[in-house]
Every structure is written in structure tokens, then in C-alpha cells.
Amino acid sequence: MKKKFVVVGAMAGTLIFAQSALAAGLAVTPSKNTLSVQSGEGVQTVEAVPAYLYQDNNYFMLRDLGKILGYRVDWNEAKKQASLTKESAAQDLQHLSAAKQAKAVKQSKQTILVGATEYENMNCLNIDGYNYFKLRDLVEIMDFTCGWDSAKNQIQLSTGDLRNEDGVSQTAKDFLHKGLNQKVIEEDVPYIPGTKDYAALEAYMQKHVDKDFKASDFIITESEEGSNTPNLITLDMRLNVNGVMTKNFGYRVLCINKKAALITFIGEKNPDFDIAKAGVQKLSDEDAKKMALAVDNNNYHVEKQTVSRYFDMQELKQKCEVETMYVYNGGTTYVSAHSFDAE
């Protein structure tokens, strides 16, 4: 199956700074963008792609985005519901809506059916009788990714795969590093950024990594991996030990295009670890800061002290780390860091 790479470029001078549409306190500015579609057949360009800017976010009509990305869009009048079906033949860059200035704008909600999955009451803007959706909200439910290139002043949409700066498709194997304990996920393990729905990943971990794995036992943080696009994100999973995370045990899961693709193992679980016997943090922030100053034993000016807490899986102890920033000699800074038992 051929992959496609879609770029919507906001070209200089194409924004129409006509009078904004004002209704119910909402102000939208119509934009006239150049659309470039790169696929196996080459590059196609379309002028005046209709979109609106509202609170610095781009809003598109489902019908137009469906044509851009290859979705058939149908309307169920009885259910007042729009349905989107992935269908490459539906891609049509020749018959997009004409750009126009908005006259009436109001907040609205719309239920959307994508394949067999229903997304109820999605927020949107009703502009002159048509519903327009925030591009980044649609990323969560449709098969495409979206990013912003500030250097090129460009919105970037991609569908089908992840590509690097040279336009070359990337896979989990491109992120393997020598010396790290890593595992490429060969199965289809979906994860939609921001949803915190770890059911599929949990099932995979129980089958292939740890039969006792439960996502609820971990403190999980999500971050974009070296980019502001949601097609490449990392889930950092650290075991939750009485309210604090382990510093030297857990998993880092790389997700590409809404699928878990690569696991990096962080340390190992101590075979003597027993959550029932693990201690709790008792050392106060103030006492920890005083202890750090006593260890440093200098007369420098204290600019700032930061306290962080963690469980040491190897020592099986609750720990507290204090970082102190000193200023001396008219502005020179010096930073020290000390760890203390916190139980």
C-alpha cells in the first residue's frame, strides 16, 4: 500500500485579514492556504484551501479534510451524526470548498463515527451553518498526524507513516540504541496520545514482558519525542511505590502514529522488592534542605533549592534528593546535589 505525506503550508501573504466574523463573542479569521500533497504519484498543489483560525488553532470542515486525507464522509440525518470511512478513492483535491469570509460563528457539538468507533459530542465551531473542527482534535480520531514547523511557517499533516526531515519513512528500528535493553513491538498495540487508555499496552506487557504488569501500578507521564507533533510520543512508566516513582526501574514506551512501537527497559525489579514492606517518605522538605546545606558547609548565597523524591529499587529505600544553587563572586553559580534516606 502506498503511503502519503500531506503538507498544508501557510504561505506568505495568503492570509486574508478581512473583517473577522464576530458572533457570541467568537472571532474567527479566514485563512487561504496553499495545499501540497506528496505521494507515490508525485506532488499536487491546491490553492485557497478553506480553513479558519480561532484562538491560534486551525479549524477544518470534515468534508474537506476527508477529501484531503482519503475519507468518505456521510451524514445520518436521523442520528444527526457524521461518519468517516477510510477510502483512498475518496481523496479528491480538485473539489474542495471555496474560501469565504465567515458571517456567523457559534460554539457547537457533533457526534462523529469513525469506522466502528463513535465519538460523542465533539467540540466544534458552527460557521455559517457548517461545523468546523480543530485540526488537533481530529488527529485523535483519524489516521493522520499534525505538526507545526515554525521555521517554514507551515502546518504539516502526514498519513500512513512517520517520516523524518528528509521524507524517509521511519520505524521503531530507527530508534534502537546500542547498549540499551530494548524490544521492538511487532504486534498492533494501539495508543491514542492523551487518552490514557493503556488497555492494549497492558495486555501486550502481560503477554510478553511481565505477566503481573498493571498500568495502574505505575506513574505514567506522556511527552512528545523531540518534536511538537503527536505522531511520535513517549510514555515514561515508573513503578508507583507509596506515592513516589522508582528512579531506577520502569519502562519507556515509544509510540509512533498512535501505536506502541518500542519498549526501553529501565533497570530491573529487585527480586526482594515487596510493596507491602516498602517505606514511606517522612523526611520533610525543610529538613532535607538544611541537611544539604550542612553537607556543603559554605558561605555562598543560596539562590534556590529543589527537592525531588523517589524510591531506589536497588537499595529498597525511599530517597530524597536536594539540588542547591549557590551564587558567589558577583554572579558565578554553583550547583550541588545530595541524596538522603527519607524514611
Side-chain angles (χ1 to χ4, degrees), residues 27-312:
V28 300
T29 303
S31 61
K32 185 179 179 181
N33 298 327
T34 296
L35 172 67
S36 175
V37 181
Q38 181 177 337
S39 66
E41 290 75 29
V43 178
Q44 302 177 68
T45 302
V46 179
E47 301 292 336
V49 176
Y52 289 92
L53 294 177
Y54 173 63
Q55 295 184 345
D56 295 326
N57 287 292
N58 287 273
Y59 282 73
F60 279 79
M61 190 160 41
L62 284 180
R63 182 176 61 192
D64 287 321
L65 197 59
K67 290 179 180 178
I68 292 169
L69 299 173
Y71 279 84
R72 191 184 76 245
V73 181
D74 299 304
W75 174 253
N76 188 317
E77 180 62 28
K79 295 183 178 181
K80 303 296 181 183
Q81 174 180 277
S83 64
L84 288 81
T85 305
K86 188 68 175 177
E87 191 175 279
S88 58
Q91 189 172 41
D92 177 9
L93 303 181
Q94 306 304 315
H95 300 91
L96 300 174
S97 300
K100 60 182 180 179
Q101 182 179 327
K103 298 178 180 179
V105 187
K106 61 182 180 180
Q107 298 279 6
S108 186
K109 290 183 180 294
Q110 176 68 62
T111 295
I112 300 176
L113 183 69
V114 181
T117 304
E118 186 176 81
Y119 300 88
E120 295 184 353
N121 298 320
M122 291 191 64
N123 292 321
C124 57
L125 294 179
N126 187 284
I127 302 176
D128 296 340
Y130 295 94
N131 285 338
Y132 285 72
F133 295 80
K134 185 190 299 185
L135 202 55
R136 287 191 177 276
D137 286 346
L138 295 177
V139 166
E140 306 297 335
I141 66 174
M142 296 172 69
D143 182 25
F144 78 101
T145 57
C146 173
W148 173 251
D149 189 326
S150 58
K152 297 179 180 178
N153 193 35
Q154 189 176 84
I155 299 169
Q156 295 183 322
L157 308 183
S158 63
T159 180
D161 61 6
L162 174 69
R163 294 172 181 266
N164 62 21
E165 294 179 352
D166 298 321
V168 179
S169 178
Q170 291 181 277
T171 67
K173 293 181 180 179
D174 295 316
F175 299 92
L176 290 172
H177 295 280
K178 206 172 200 180
L180 294 181
N181 183 9
Q182 296 178 296
K183 178 180 178 63
V184 173
I185 298 176
E186 304 287 356
E187 300 178 13
D188 188 357
V189 183
Y191 178 74
I192 298 177
T195 62
K196 298 183 180 181
D197 182 359
Y198 308 118
L201 180 58
E202 181 175 89
Y204 178 87
M205 295 291 284
Q206 290 174 353
K207 181 179 179 181
H208 297 282
V209 178
D210 179 0
K211 64 182 179 61
D212 297 319
F213 177 90
K214 292 182 181 178
S216 58
D217 291 338
F218 288 75
I219 296 174
I220 304 176
T221 56
E222 180 174 329
S223 60
E224 293 171 343
E225 185 68 23
S227 172
N228 65 347
T229 62
N231 58 351
L232 185 62
I233 65 105
T234 295
L235 300 175
D236 191 81
M237 316 175 78
R238 304 301 179 102
L239 191 65
N240 185 340
V241 182
N242 296 330
V244 298
M245 65 175 64
T246 52
K247 185 177 183 179
N248 44 9
F249 172 71
Y251 310 95
R252 189 171 290 115
V253 180
L254 177 69
C255 300
I256 300 175
N257 283 345
K258 305 174 192 174
K259 293 181 180 180
L262 178 69
I263 302 172
T264 300
F265 296 82
I266 304 170
E268 296 180 357
K269 183 184 288 187
N270 191 318
D272 296 325
F273 173 75
D274 184 346
I275 187 68
K277 298 179 180 179
V280 296
Q281 295 271 338
K282 295 180 180 179
L283 181 66
S284 70
D285 283 6
E286 289 306 311
D287 286 342
K289 290 177 180 179
K290 290 177 182 178
M291 292 169 65
L293 295 178
V295 173
D296 288 338
N297 190 26
N298 62 52
N299 296 319
Y300 300 150
H301 170 71
V302 178
E303 181 70 15
K304 182 174 65 174
Q305 284 189 291
T306 304
V307 178
S308 58
R309 300 175 181 278
Y310 63 94
F311 181 81
D312 190 304

